[in-house]
Amino acid sequence: AEPGRNRADALSVAQWKEKIERALACPQAVGPIRNIKDEDPRPFDAIFIGGGAAGRFGSAYLRAMGGRQLVIDCWPFLGGACPHSACVPHHVFSDCAAELMLARSFSGELWFPDLREKLTSIKEVVDLFRKGRTGPHAVMNYQSREQLDIEFLLNAPARILDRHTVEAGGEIFRARHLVLTLGAEAAPLEAPGSELVGVHNYATLVETLDREPGATVVVIGGGKTAVEYGCFFNATGRRVIMLVRNRPLDMIPDRETRAYALERMLQQGIEIIEGADVVEIVGDSARRVARVVAATPDGPIEIETDFVFHALGERPRSRMAVEALGVEIDAKGAVIVDEALQTSAPGVFAAGDLIGSPMEMFKARKSGAYAARAVMGEKVSYRPRDWPDFLHTHYEVSWLGLGEEDAREKFKNVVVMKLPPDNPDGLNIGLPASDRTMLYAMARPHMSGFQKLILDGDSRRVLGAHHVGYGAKDGFQYLNALVRGGLTIDQLAEMDELFLNPTYFIQLARLRAGQPNLTNL
Ligand code: FDA
Ligand code: COM
């Protein structure tokens, strides 16, 4: 039998859910949640401090290799920020933004209700998420204990004592190595009034939102989280003003793709003020937000609002490791590691958001697994590079490789294939279209998406791919691996599309692959 399976004391997913809910409501009432094999005489190969994506995947990998690990988390579940306050709520809100944009675009037509002038509730969606999130939490604990055979101590903050020793839940634990997987947290808004009720970041939004926001929302920031949450708030029918210090959506590498995404946001009514700096948030007599004062290139502005959302990046939680172990950090507070994920403290490893950008799940999980391999004596080397990326507006935006501008700087014979093609009607044509954009293609064609493939005409290799629509990011994960391996237009043309496919790259490639000298399409 697989180790750990069907233990007499196994909790079902439903039982875990109930226990996690009790612990979240009152951590002390439940106390440390302990799954440690005291009868195992082996020392721990590693203690993972933090049981998010990095700590959980590192633990699973180390255990799969036959080692012994312990993972400790102050929350009563494994999985960390992702299911609790980050990726999962972000996807709930982005799903709502897409659904609502469709409903508003067809308001009063077909079967869609008339949503004109109507606000939909933000708080109901937040409450729905808060109720639902313990389902995934429970799966994480069940899978970790019953299937992956991970040893853990949850609902127990950990304190590092030295390079081998940790205190948690009133016990002392020792290991050959420590792996620091403490994650990151929202950077604070450094402006007077940031402590007022009604000022939120992604974490407080889902923990403390206590009333329905009014009709005007101020979003501070222009990165992924600011855009994702801003689009959701906008889709609920609210006026959204984004105060952005630099440029929103700056991370999208292809200029035309970025412009398409940005124009659709503006068309949905989002107001974006670039070069804006928040001077002060002013409260009312009940200490709730009343207005935001900002400096802009056109002079000072004041916006009346009871709801401010800020997303100014993430700060690695490195303080405890610096104080206890003296590990070196960079200017942004990220723990510095070498290619084997080892910190400046010998034998102490680190992974995930704690080691800095890219702060994404693929890197958290992979770096955790690489750290486990290093702990187990493998010679490993991991530096994230050439990863595919995505964000949400009301759409899903995916990209990999080079944007057209960078491609033209690096290659002399760049060939572009895109939809809509350059044509006299611009975007106002009914392609591309696929799942989730068919109604737009028929009735609001400029909203049915944008996509672009960039090739080197000499080597016939794909240099970059860019997509605004729905359902493409899954394909981009695999496409990226093929592009890294030198994917050509001819190989793309040999693939079998499941038409109507979200990415039209296979069929576009086949239309041109017969050409000895490639031309644009
Ligand atoms: P994570 O923060 O998950 O884990 C750290 C753990 O340490 C936590 O569980 C915490 O409780 C624990 N801890 C802290 N101090 C402790 C102590 N003293 N003792 C014990 N435990 C302690 N990425 C992506 O790929 N796709 C996406 O869609 C998104 N979406 C997204 C939305 C938003 C709003 C944000 C902010 C971020 C994302 N991300 C994302 C990024 C993703 O969430 C992030 O990269 C991972 O969650 C990082 O995993 P870690 O394990 O490094 O940290
Ligand atoms: C996913 C959390 S929400 S983990 O990466 O599987 O631990």
Side-chain angles (χ1 to χ4, degrees), residues 237-318:
R238 288 170 174 79
R239 180 179 182 207
V240 170
I241 302 153
M242 292 188 67
L243 303 177
V244 187
R245 216 172 244 173
N246 302 313
R247 281 179 4 133
L249 299 182
D250 213 17
M251 68 296 287
I252 300 178
D254 183 70
R255 191 188 298 159
E256 235 178 338
T257 307
R258 175 177 175 272
Y260 182 88
L262 196 57
E263 278 161 23
R264 299 286 76 68
M265 283 171 64
L266 296 173
Q267 191 183 34
Q268 290 305 306
I270 294 188
E271 298 163 50
I272 299 175
I273 305 179
E274 289 183 28
D277 252 317
V278 175
V279 175
E280 185 183 4
I281 303 176
V282 182
D284 62 15
S285 55
R287 307 280 307 143
R288 297 194 81 93
V289 176
R291 61 181 200 278
V292 174
V293 183
T296 79
D298 297 328
I301 54 165
E302 291 199 9
I303 308 161
E304 284 192 23
T305 181
D306 65 356
F307 183 67
V308 174
F309 181 85
H310 63 90
L312 301 163
E314 290 286 286
R315 239 188 216 177
R317 275 194 203 98
S318 52

Side-chain angles (χ1 to χ4, degrees), residues 461-478:
R461 285 185 173 189
V462 174
L463 300 176
H466 308 271
H467 190 276
V468 186
Y470 298 102
K473 80 177 198 276
D474 200 51
F476 268 61
Q477 309 165 117
Y478 306 109

Side-chain angles (χ1 to χ4, degrees), residues 50 52-54 73-74 80-81 86-87 90-91 158 182-183 202 352-353 359-361:
D73 204 289
C74 48
C87 328
H90 143 213
H91 277 72
L182 289 154
Y202 67 88
D353 281 4
M359 292 195 190
E360 303 285 352
M361 287 295 281

